[in-house]
């Protein structure tokens, strides 16, 4: 029986464990904090649960008047705000933590039921390297103070990342916070400064603004979400500003310090901004130190991420890596896929190397931004020859009925064949709407095939079919000319 040891029990680790156990391996998962990893305990699940409350607030706030809803008692629950609904953040956060722990528990149960041994503690590779029989040593420093040595035919490292900190902006867990600490708040921050306008910063800035905080978003770049589709980022920034967020572009935060019950953030140009709380969202650092990786011959890049190939192999025989610690694509779904691929490879099952061009991702702001396949940047820099059509949602009948004004559907297709190679949806629940475009990209469907499938009338997905129809017309015009 092949012995597999997995260090790290997030999506990269536990999904791999399930697959390996199903394929008949003897599997041990070593995890420091609890199965589900940061994805379940501090990052993905908690943030999306918080955002679920924010989403209800925004939907109500932005449309109740237009949709003719009467609110009986319109005394604003938050002093000085024009809003008629408010949140009990303590209650919201208790629900967030309850759901996260319950999900971690469910994962532990299903992994254990599959026959996997779960050890609580810190794992690292043993100094001995590979033994004559090809096996490796993993040392486990148990949560109870014990030390155990395991032997494995293959080891998977899936240790994730932790929040990056600026030397002069150390979180204190009360007023200066990182994203894992916000769920301890009992009261809504009155004035929140979010430092960092990547996906994490934008999601939290949007969520807290919807919950009722006065938000300042400090972005070192020209616009929010520098890694996303530029048109989508523009829509979001405009929505943020319209709702009253102070978006500070080209502003690099250098320090954050607490002054009594307030926080002062100083920018590189010397400007000081004040708030009651500050959330630092300035990226992450891979959890790869102290794992004995270099000694075992595992190559890291300049950022400390583990270098892997498309079947998750590292440079050391018998050592695989998956998830955020590889920096390949920081998503739970990609971590899980890398972990499964590693196990298929080790255990001799049919294996398809990782294909990043079909990954669907979503920014959980309001509106959401969902993306799949080749991007506007790929097209503009010549990596992919494609034509695009962008249809604003305000022309969509369902959007009009629902009072949705912001957003669009964009499709990219190859000019000659009309094969759909990418798409972007900016809309409420874009995360659900992107799937039809994902199917098209994954299966090389043409714009004619996408346009030919029925959509419900009225529906937002009607805009996807309409964009495909317009690309078909464009294709005909191009071939006629
Ligand atoms: C705020 C936020 C929101 C996000 N939202 C989404 C989202 O909506 N959708 C999405 O797809 N992705 C989201 N992500 C990204 C997602 O959380 C990560 O891509 C995912 O967690 C990666 O999984 P992983 O298995 O690599 O690592 P993790 O989930 O980080 O798990 C790693 C585990 O390894 C453990 N560990 C570390 N070192 C050791 C050691 N030496 N020994 C034993 N155990 C160890 C850790 O304790 C942890 O339990 C979000 C990230 C953030 C920060």
């Amino acid at each position: 029986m092949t012995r597999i040891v997995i260090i790290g029990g997030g999506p990269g680790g536990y999904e791999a464990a399930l697959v390996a156990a199903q394929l008949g391996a003897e599997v041990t998962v070593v995890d420091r904090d609890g199965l589900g990893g940061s994805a379940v305990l501090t990052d993905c699940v908690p943030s999306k649960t918080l955002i679920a409350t924010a989403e209800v607030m925004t939907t109500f706030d932005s449309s109740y008047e237009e949709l003719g809803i009467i609110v009986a008692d319109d005394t604003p629950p938050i002093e000085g705000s024009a809003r008629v609904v408010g949140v009990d953040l303590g209650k919201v956060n208790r629900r967030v933590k309850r759901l996260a722990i319950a999900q971690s528990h469910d994962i532990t149960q299903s992994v254990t039921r599959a026959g996997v041994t779960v050890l609580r503690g810190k794992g690292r590779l043993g100094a001995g390297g590979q033994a004559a029989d090809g096996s490796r040593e993993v040392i486990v420093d148990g949560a109870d103070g014990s030390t155990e040595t395991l032997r494995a035919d293959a080891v998977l490292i899936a240790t994730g990342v932790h929040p990056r900190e600026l030397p002069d902006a150390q979180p204190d867990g009360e007023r200066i916070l990182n994203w894992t600490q916000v769920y301890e708040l009992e009261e809504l921050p009155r004035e929140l400064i979010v430092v960092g306008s990547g996906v994490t910063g934008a999601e939290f800035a949007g969520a807290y603004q919807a919950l009722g905080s006065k938000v300042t978003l400090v972005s070192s770049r020209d616009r929010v979400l520098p890694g996303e589709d530029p048109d989508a980022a523009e829509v979001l920034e405009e929505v943020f500003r319209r709702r009253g967020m102070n978006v500070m572009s080209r502003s690099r935060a250098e320090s954050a310090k607490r002054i009594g019950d307030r926080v002062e953030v100083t920018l590189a140009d010397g400007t000081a901004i004040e708030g009651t709380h500050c959330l630092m969202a300035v990226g992450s650092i891979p959890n790869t130190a102290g794992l004995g990786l270099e000694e075992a011959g595992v190559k890291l890049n300049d950022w400390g991420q583990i270098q892997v190939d498309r079947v998750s192999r590292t440079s050391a025989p018998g050592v695989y890596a998956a998830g955020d610690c590889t920096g390949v694509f920081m998503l739970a779904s990609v971590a899980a896929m890398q972990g499964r691929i590693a196990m298929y490879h080790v255990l001799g099952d049919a294996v398809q190397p990782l294909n990043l061009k079909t990954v669907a991702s979503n920014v959980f702001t309001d509106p959401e931004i969902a993306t799949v396949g080749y991007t506007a940047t790929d097209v503009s820099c010549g990596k992919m020859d494609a034509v695009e059509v962008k249809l604003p949602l305000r022309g969509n009948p369902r959007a009009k009925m629902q009072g949705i004004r912001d957003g669009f559907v964009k499709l990219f297709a190859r000019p000659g064949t009309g094969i759909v190679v990418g798409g972007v949806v900016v809309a409420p629940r874009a995360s659900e709407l992107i799937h039809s475009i994902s199917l098209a990209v994954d299966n090389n469907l043409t714009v004619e095939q996408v346009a030919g499938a029925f959509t419900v009338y009225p529906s937002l997905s009607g805009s996807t079919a309409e964009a495909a129809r317009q690309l078909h017309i464009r294709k005909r015009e191009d071939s006629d000319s």
Side-chain angles (χ1 to χ4, degrees):
M1 211 186 229
T2 310
R3 295 160 301 172
I4 309 266
V5 174
I6 298 172
I7 307 180
Y14 78 78
E15 289 284 351
L18 285 170
V19 162
Q22 282 154 7
L23 291 174
E26 183 188 298
V27 189
T28 305
V29 179
V30 185
D31 192 90
R32 198 180 59 187
D33 299 320
L35 289 201
S38 312
V40 168
L41 292 167
T42 55
D43 297 357
C44 183
V45 170
S47 64
K48 263 77 266 181
T49 312
L50 179 83
I51 286 168
T53 302
E55 202 178 288
V56 175
M57 298 280 287
T58 320
T59 310
F60 183 78
D61 246 13
S62 61
S63 57
Y64 80 100
E65 274 181 309
E66 183 179 339
L67 300 193
I69 295 164
I70 298 168
V71 181
D73 172 10
D74 64 356
T75 313
I78 297 167
E79 209 188 304
S81 130
R83 311 176 49 154
V84 294
V85 285
V87 289
D88 174 344
L89 192 70
K91 194 167 175 185
V92 173
N93 281 341
R94 282 190 288 282
R95 174 171 185 266
V96 165
K97 288 186 276 189
R98 205 171 53 241
L99 284 182
I101 286 169
Q103 191 159 336
S104 172
H105 181 73
D106 287 353
I107 292 167
T108 308
Q109 270 195 329
S110 63
V111 164
T112 317
R113 247 196 324 264
V116 173
T117 304
V118 178
L119 299 179
R120 189 72 178 262
K122 276 173 83 169
R124 62 194 150 92
L125 291 174
Q130 211 172 9
D133 65 353
S135 69
R136 290 199 171 260
E137 200 178 71
V138 174
I139 298 161
V140 182
D141 298 313
D144 56 3
S146 62
T147 298
E148 193 175 338
T149 302
L150 309 172
R151 286 223 78 86
D153 300 302
V155 180
L156 176 71
I157 313 285
T159 46
V161 295
H162 61 273
R164 185 167 85 90
E165 289 172 3
L166 302 183
D168 292 328
Q170 295 291 317
D172 65 4
E174 287 180 2
R175 297 278 165 173
I176 304 173
L177 305 150
N178 66 34
W179 65 75
T180 70
Q181 296 169 328
V182 292
Y183 308 106
E184 298 308 321
L185 291 176
E186 279 293 317
E187 283 180 17
L188 193 66
R190 253 184 314 113
E191 302 153 28
L192 177 67
I193 302 165
V194 178
V195 177
S197 66
V199 175
T200 301
E203 287 187 351
F204 279 109
Y208 280 102
Q209 185 181 43
L211 296 174
S213 300
K214 188 170 172 347
V215 175
T216 298
L217 180 58
V218 179
S219 169
S220 62
R221 311 291 282 269
D222 288 346
R223 58 169 169 80
V224 300
L225 296 175
E228 297 294 317
D229 181 87
D231 293 335
E234 195 181 312
V235 169
L236 188 71
E237 190 165 322
E238 197 200 307
V239 170
F240 276 176
R241 289 187 199 274
R242 197 196 312 140
R243 290 184 185 150
M245 190 185 295
N246 175 18
V247 181
M248 302 182 72
S249 313
R250 292 180 293 277
S251 305
R252 184 174 291 280
E254 297 242 300
S255 69
K257 68 170 183 276
R258 188 169 168 171
I259 305 168
D261 278 351
R262 297 191 64 79
V263 176
E264 185 180 85
V265 173
T266 306
L267 309 181
D269 66 4
T271 311
I273 42 176
E274 268 196 45
T276 57
H277 294 76
C278 170
L279 169 61
M280 302 299 299
V282 290
S284 55
I285 306 281
N287 295 327
T288 49
L291 292 175
L293 296 175
E294 278 107 334
E295 297 84 338
V298 176
K299 279 201 188 123
L300 306 177
N301 64 20
D302 292 345
W303 296 275
Q305 295 158 331
I306 301 173
Q307 292 184 2
V308 286
D309 64 10
R310 288 175 61 210
V311 290
S312 309
R313 279 180 299 197
T314 70
S315 51
V319 182
Y320 290 71
D324 283 6
C325 65
T326 67
V328 167
F329 204 140
M330 309 276 241
L331 285 179
S333 53
V334 175
M337 187 63 82
Q338 285 180 287
R340 289 188 210 108
I341 287 174
M343 295 301 107
Y344 295 140
H345 191 266
V346 177
L347 298 166
D349 205 45
V351 54
Q352 293 255 22
L354 185 68
N355 177 7
L356 292 178
K357 272 299 141 211
T358 56
V359 175
S361 63
N362 192 59
V363 184
F364 289 82
T365 42
D366 180 78
E368 293 182 1
I369 300 173
T371 312
V372 67
Y374 284 93
T375 63
T377 310
D378 293 332
V379 176
S380 63
C381 74
K383 195 168 158 194
M384 168 54 71
D385 184 18
V387 283
E388 76 169 62
V389 156
K390 184 178 98 177
L391 279 189
L393 278 187
R394 56 175 180 273
N396 176 294
R398 186 87 191 274
K400 287 182 201 164
M401 293 166 208
Q402 293 182 318
I404 297 168
R405 282 183 219 92
D406 304 300
F408 59 79
V409 172
K410 190 192 268 191
L411 285 186
F412 299 99
R414 300 280 285 152
T417 58
I419 288 174
V420 178
V421 292
V424 182
V425 180
V426 180
R429 301 281 160 113
S431 48
E432 309 293 343
L433 295 171
I434 197 72
H435 189 230
S436 56
I437 307 177
S438 271
L439 281 173
V441 172
D442 206 28
N443 293 289
N444 296 322
L445 299 187
T446 61
V447 289
E448 289 77 18
Q449 286 169 310
V450 174
F454 274 99
T455 55
V456 166
Y457 179 84
S459 66
L460 297 187
S461 48
S463 287
T464 304
E466 179 56 27
R469 273 191 290 277
Q470 292 199 10
L471 278 169
H472 166 69
I473 301 294
R474 175 93 72 86
K475 199 175 103 184
R476 278 187 50 158
E477 287 169 355
D478 287 349
S479 67
D480 288 350
S481 61

